[in-house]
Amino acid sequence: MAVPKAFFIGFCRRKVLEGFILSVVVSGVSVWVVLGLVPPPLLVNQADSSYAVTDREGRLLRLSLSSDEKYRLWTPLAELPEALRQATLQYEDRWFFFHPGVNPVALARATWHSFIVRDRWLGASTLSMQLARQRWRLKTNTLEGKLRQIAYALWLERHFSKAVLLEAYLNLAPYGANIEGAGAAAWVYFRKPASRLSEDEARALALIPQNPAQRAPLGKRGRSALEQAWRTVYGDDPGFGRLWFRRREDLPLRAPHFSERLHELFGNGTFHSTLDSKVQGLAEELLTSFIRQHRAQGIVNASAMVVHAPTMEVLAYVGSADYLDRRIQGFVNGLKARRSPGSTLKPFIYALGLDQGLITPDTLLKDTPLRVGEYQPENFERDFYGPLSATEALVRSRNVPAVALLERLSKPTLFQFLRQAGLRFSREEAYYGLALAMGGAELSMEDLLRLYALLANGGEWRELRWLSGGRPGNPVPATRRLLSPEAAFLVRQMLEANPRPQRSFGARAYSSALPVAWKTGTSSGFRDAWAVGLAGDLLAGVWLGNFDGTPNRWLVGRELAGPLLFAILEVVALERPEAGTRPVPPPGLKSVEICPVSGALRSPWCPHGKKGWIIRGVSPIRQCTVHRLIYVDPASGLRLCRGDEARGRPQVAEFWDSDELDLFRLAGVRRDVPPPFEKPCEDLAGGDAGSGAPRILSPQPDANYPIRAGEANPIEFSAVASGGRHRLFWFVDDAYVGEGATISWSGKPGRHTVRVVDDQGLSATTTLIGTPSE
């Protein structure tokens, strides 16, 4: 039976078609399998993107450029509004969730018109293909370029989910000029994050990527083209008339150092910060005005920082006087630069002394010449005040009492305490020594404000807080206690006794109703002037100087930085009156009656008393020994020994050490000192209670002195007589060599024993070594 020709031809065609379809399917499956064996590409390089920083109210401070000069801000899909996603898919690729990266129908149609008929060019690009073109910067107006685009799109689809690809597309799509991604476009055109786009704003953005060169609303022409596209797609929808496009040229550059600091800390992304734009503006304005007023004195740069102490939120952050002024290196961030802090660390010496039971705020400290080994500290004014209360010594920023107290600290020492607070040092503790009290180690303003916040937060260390409302992956660090609440309260109270600056900044008068606990610092060589202050819940710091370290004799903390600090604290307190709360005394404090002259508990012989604080179970508790009852012979006026009181009259006298009396005399201050004894006493336990042996200042134990043959080789002997003693006698190897608080002895080779004896027979001993030298 003959097979009909038509049947045979049809059969052959079916077989050819089936073979073709089978080969296409096999080829497709093979390609899909092979693509699965190829490692996935880096879809989006999030490291090479912009960062956006807003203030606490959500206002944009800065949108940075990426390394390739693009506004490209990575925004997670969850933060891109549903209206933007749906409008983009509806307009660009409504079959996105159904094709494997290539739309076969659209691709066949585009091939017919673009390469066979050639009547018009059709792209037929899916979102995956557009993503591939943007990701690898492909030129797709040629057959080779189109084939590469298809291959890359299939590769992407093989390794990534549709949600990931949509997220990547919306972060890389072109939105005009150098704007890439919906996140950056939302900030540039509408000054808001993508998550807050309205439906009209989202629908308008969805129209730009198809023709960004024409439709980007960067000017009148672009807005007109975008409006025309809107009419074509959305018809008479009036939504376009409700849109307000912002200019790219008007992107803000506010608080630039703060924005850069957040970028250093947290990388790229969108950061909703704690910065208060009003407080920031006030601080910047005051710094600018201050520099203008003091430019004739060579003051050209400054930094300032304001923190809400209980939350540690950074409210203002001014890294330099002018970020854009290269003459002063304004781009340098002075708030994180490490420099010598001068005396600003002294409050923590006193805080540790309080916690270690060494002092109370009223304890009498000596501001007299001091030698510790080879180190002999000097005060800033190169003078001495004599005995001072701990509060007065801190307020006057006296170096000698601070160094003497620093030497007594242990577990922790000041250095160990600073390390516990997270401060970094390039060298070990021995390198800094006692000079740490006067700024021997370099710190930043950020470091200082973290430390001073201890005084506001009951001794608890808390990290600075930069972001408002927390941030996933960046939890607020746990607090840890470095000082007792009692010590923190007392030091803050001591610093509140610091008088306000004598001269104000401009015509501003400081309000006495605003208690301010503040401290200043001046670095060696007049290179840095610091002031840090705590008013209510507000903590502020000011630095003045030059980033290149150029000295200036006007750079004195109290005289220059202090007035600026107070100006900032006062205007910020007016802006934030809720920050004016004051701490209450912790329960571990006890109020006692103090002798204001000695700083000890008032004895029956103290003529006056005052209220003072002690820490229960910690503070040194002893009665005043400066005021003592003695008996004096009415006829001679000389002091009587114990057992002879019956023939004398009682009298209250003040007992001061000899070095203190010397300073009183130099200052013209008369003290009611006891008269000398009428004879040597066998029993001193009575009226002389509290007096001790003399104290040798020089020579230090086992000190080495070079002895040159044929020369005088003078060696200074110096000692302090205890209260009420008048004469000191010196002996070397039991041979008498002289009398006086300070004498000179001609040195001899060998090891020698040096002894000093007071007029009541009490003595102290040390040794020295005379080493022969050429």
Side-chain angles (χ1 to χ4, degrees):
M1 180 178 177
V3 178
K5 182 178 181 180
F7 176 81
F8 180 77
I9 294 173
F11 177 79
C12 291
R13 285 178 176 175
R14 285 196 302 273
K15 290 299 182 181
V16 171
L17 180 61
E18 289 174 359
F20 175 75
I21 293 174
L22 180 61
S23 65
V24 169
V25 171
V26 171
S27 298
V29 171
S30 299
V31 169
W32 197 250
V33 171
V34 170
L35 288 175
L37 298 176
V38 179
L42 175 64
L43 188 57
V44 178
N45 183 12
Q46 296 185 30
D48 186 19
S49 62
S50 305
Y51 59 90
V53 179
T54 70
D55 68 5
R56 65 192 304 113
E57 303 299 327
R59 290 182 289 264
L60 183 65
L61 298 173
R62 183 178 184 180
L63 177 65
S64 74
L65 288 166
S66 64
S67 62
D68 56 351
E69 300 295 311
K70 299 289 183 66
Y71 291 111
R72 185 192 303 116
L73 183 65
W74 175 259
T75 307
L77 188 62
E79 296 179 14
L80 295 170
E82 182 67 22
L84 175 64
R85 286 182 267 172
Q86 291 302 324
T88 300
L89 292 173
Q90 186 70 22
Y91 186 59
E92 295 283 1
D93 187 358
R94 65 183 62 189
W95 301 104
F96 174 70
F97 286 102
F98 302 98
H99 61 65
V102 176
N103 187 329
V105 177
L107 187 60
R109 184 170 58 248
T111 302
W112 177 264
H113 286 283
S114 301
F115 297 104
I116 299 176
V117 179
R118 297 188 178 183
D119 58 345
R120 56 180 171 147
W121 177 266
L122 292 180
S125 294
T126 63
L127 278 189
S128 302
M129 293 170 66
Q130 294 181 51
L131 173 59
R133 183 183 65 228
Q134 190 71 10
R135 168 64 180 83
W136 284 281
R137 307 297 182 188
L138 301 174
K139 293 182 179 181
T140 58
N141 55 353
T142 65
L143 179 59
E144 180 187 357
K146 183 60 69 175
L147 291 175
R148 292 184 63 192
Q149 183 184 24
I150 292 171
Y152 278 124
L154 293 172
W155 188 24
L156 293 176
E157 290 274 355
R158 181 67 177 87
H159 288 285
F160 300 102
S161 68
K162 290 289 186 179
V164 171
L165 293 176
L166 179 59
E167 179 183 62
Y169 170 79
L170 290 172
N171 276 281
L172 291 179
Y175 286 87
N178 61 342
I179 306 165
E180 290 185 359
W187 282 115
V188 174
Y189 294 131
F190 302 114
R191 297 296 191 272
K192 62 175 65 174
S195 60
R196 290 176 49 202
L197 288 172
S198 68
E199 184 176 355
D200 292 332
E201 292 166 343
R203 290 194 296 162
L205 285 185
L207 302 176
I208 299 175
Q210 192 174 88
N211 193 352
Q214 297 294 325
R215 296 177 185 176
L218 297 169
K220 291 183 179 180
R221 182 177 299 177
R223 284 191 290 272
S224 297
L226 184 59
E227 184 176 11
Q228 184 177 352
W230 177 285
R231 302 301 175 203
T232 302
V233 177
Y234 305 126
D236 295 331
D237 189 307
F240 195 86
R242 294 190 290 264
L243 300 179
W244 179 31
F245 296 100
R246 308 292 289 272
R247 288 169 19 110
R248 180 181 51 165
E249 295 77 9
D250 295 334
L251 280 170
L253 181 62
R254 297 197 291 267
H257 289 107
F258 179 75
S259 299
E260 291 176 356
R261 191 71 176 108
L262 262 61
H263 175 54
E264 291 176 4
L265 293 170
F266 306 112
N268 294 321
T270 301
F271 307 118
H272 182 43
S273 76
T274 61
L275 197 83
D276 188 315
S277 286
K278 291 183 179 179
V279 177
Q280 177 77 12
L282 290 170
E284 291 175 348
E285 197 175 310
L286 285 168
L287 252 68
T288 300
S289 178
F290 186 88
I291 294 298
R292 187 185 307 117
Q293 180 175 326
H294 293 84
R295 193 173 295 277
Q297 297 170 312
I299 307 302
V300 296
N301 213 345
S303 301
M305 187 173 173
V306 182
V307 173
H308 181 247
T311 62
M312 296 300 286
E313 293 181 345
V314 179
L315 303 179
Y317 193 91
V318 189
S320 71
D322 188 348
Y323 179 81
L324 299 176
D325 190 345
R326 291 187 172 274
R327 295 173 300 175
I328 62 169
Q329 299 173 294
F331 54 87
V332 175
N333 184 355
L335 296 174
K336 73 184 189 77
R338 295 167 62 84
R339 307 179 72 90
S340 169
S343 297
T344 54
L345 290 180
K346 285 178 182 173
F348 305 100
I349 298 175
Y350 289 83
L352 293 172
L354 288 164
D355 264 342
Q356 294 179 20
L358 302 177
I359 60 169
T360 72
D362 298 290
T363 296
L364 212 61
L365 302 178
K366 283 188 175 184
D367 183 20
T368 57
L370 173 69
R371 181 184 293 274
V372 182
E374 297 299 317
Y375 180 56
Q376 187 167 5
E378 292 184 339
N379 291 310
F380 183 77
E381 297 87 351
R382 299 184 184 277
D383 60 0
F384 301 95
Y385 284 171
L388 297 171
S389 70
T391 298
E392 195 173 9
L394 175 57
V395 164
R396 295 189 180 190
S397 197
R398 307 302 291 174
N399 290 339
V400 171
V403 170
L405 182 57
L406 175 61
E407 187 191 16
R408 298 168 61 195
L409 297 179
S410 64
K411 297 181 181 179
T413 62
L414 178 62
F415 181 85
Q416 292 166 348
F417 164 79
L418 296 176
R419 289 286 292 268
Q420 291 171 4
L423 273 63
R424 296 174 292 105
F425 297 95
S426 59
R427 299 175 182 269
E428 295 303 315
E429 183 172 7
Y431 173 81
Y432 301 102
L434 299 177
L436 200 58
M438 284 91 75
E442 294 183 339
L443 306 177
S444 70
M445 180 63 76
E446 292 180 10
D447 294 331
L448 277 179
L449 292 195
R450 288 187 189 96
L451 289 172
Y452 274 79
L454 291 168
L455 307 182
N457 296 323
E460 282 190 350
W461 180 89
R462 301 174 186 175
E463 186 53 86
L464 290 170
R465 193 171 176 193
W466 307 88
L467 302 180
S468 181
R471 170 185 164 93
N474 179 46
V476 177
T479 62
R480 61 177 183 270
R481 181 165 302 285
L482 297 182
L483 296 173
S484 70
E486 292 77 18
F489 176 87
L490 291 177
V491 171
R492 177 171 182 169
Q493 192 175 65
M494 291 163 72
L495 290 175
E496 285 182 353
N498 194 359
R500 285 163 163 70
Q502 293 182 355
R503 58 191 183 92
S504 62
F505 167 32
R508 184 177 302 279
Y510 301 138
S511 168
S512 59
L514 182 67
V516 179
W518 68 295
K519 184 73 182 73
T520 59
T522 304
S523 67
S524 176
F526 300 97
R527 290 177 170 82
D528 309 272
W530 304 75
V532 182
L534 183 60
D537 289 343
L538 293 174
L539 175 62
V542 167
W543 170 87
L544 299 166
N546 298 293
F547 290 148
D548 62 3
T550 303
N552 184 333
R553 66 184 181 88
W554 296 101
L555 288 173
V556 178
R558 172 171 285 275
E559 298 298 321
L560 206 66
L564 179 57
L565 171 73
F566 271 75
I568 290 175
L569 283 173
E570 293 230 335
V571 297
V572 174
L574 291 174
E575 183 64 36
R576 297 173 61 92
E578 75 280 1
T581 58
R582 297 194 65 192
V584 297
L589 290 179
K590 180 182 179 181
S591 178
V592 296
E593 193 168 12
I594 298 292
C595 172
V597 175
S598 67
L601 296 178
R602 187 182 181 186
S603 73
W605 319 120
C606 298
H608 307 289
K610 71 164 190 173
K611 292 296 182 182
W613 293 108
I614 62 171
I615 303 176
R616 299 175 186 269
V618 175
S619 296
I621 301 175
R622 62 181 184 86
Q623 274 198 332
C624 171
T625 58
V626 169
H627 298 96
R628 305 179 204 169
L629 181 66
I630 63 172
Y631 288 86
V632 176
D633 185 295
S636 65
L638 296 177
R639 189 175 168 196
L640 299 176
C641 295
R642 188 175 184 181
D644 295 335
E645 296 93 338
R647 61 184 180 86
R649 58 178 174 80
Q651 175 181 316
V652 174
E654 295 181 4
F655 284 68
W656 301 99
D657 289 348
S658 60
D659 56 342
E660 297 168 336
L661 285 174
D662 289 341
L663 291 175
F664 282 137
R665 280 193 291 268
L666 287 174
V669 177
R670 182 180 179 278
R671 308 308 308 183
D672 188 13
V673 298
F677 283 95
E678 66 173 3
K679 63 179 181 178
C681 300
E682 295 181 2
D683 183 3
L684 297 175
D688 238 19
S691 294
R695 179 165 51 91
I696 296 177
L697 302 179
S698 178
Q700 294 293 307
D702 294 323
N704 276 280
Y705 292 89
I707 304 298
R708 293 178 175 83
E711 298 185 13
N713 299 305
I715 299 176
E716 181 183 281
F717 292 173
S718 178
V720 174
S722 187
R725 310 298 166 81
H726 293 267
R727 303 177 69 182
L728 292 173
F729 307 93
W730 292 91
F731 299 83
V732 175
D733 299 330
D734 293 330
Y736 174 74
V737 295
E739 177 185 348
T742 301
I743 69 167
S744 180
W745 174 69
S746 295
K748 299 177 182 179
R751 185 181 186 88
H752 304 282
T753 299
V754 180
R755 185 164 56 98
V756 63
V757 183
D758 66 19
D759 51 9
Q760 290 300 310
L762 296 180
S763 65
T765 303
T766 188
T767 58
L768 68 84
I769 302 172
T771 304
S773 175
E774 295 293 334

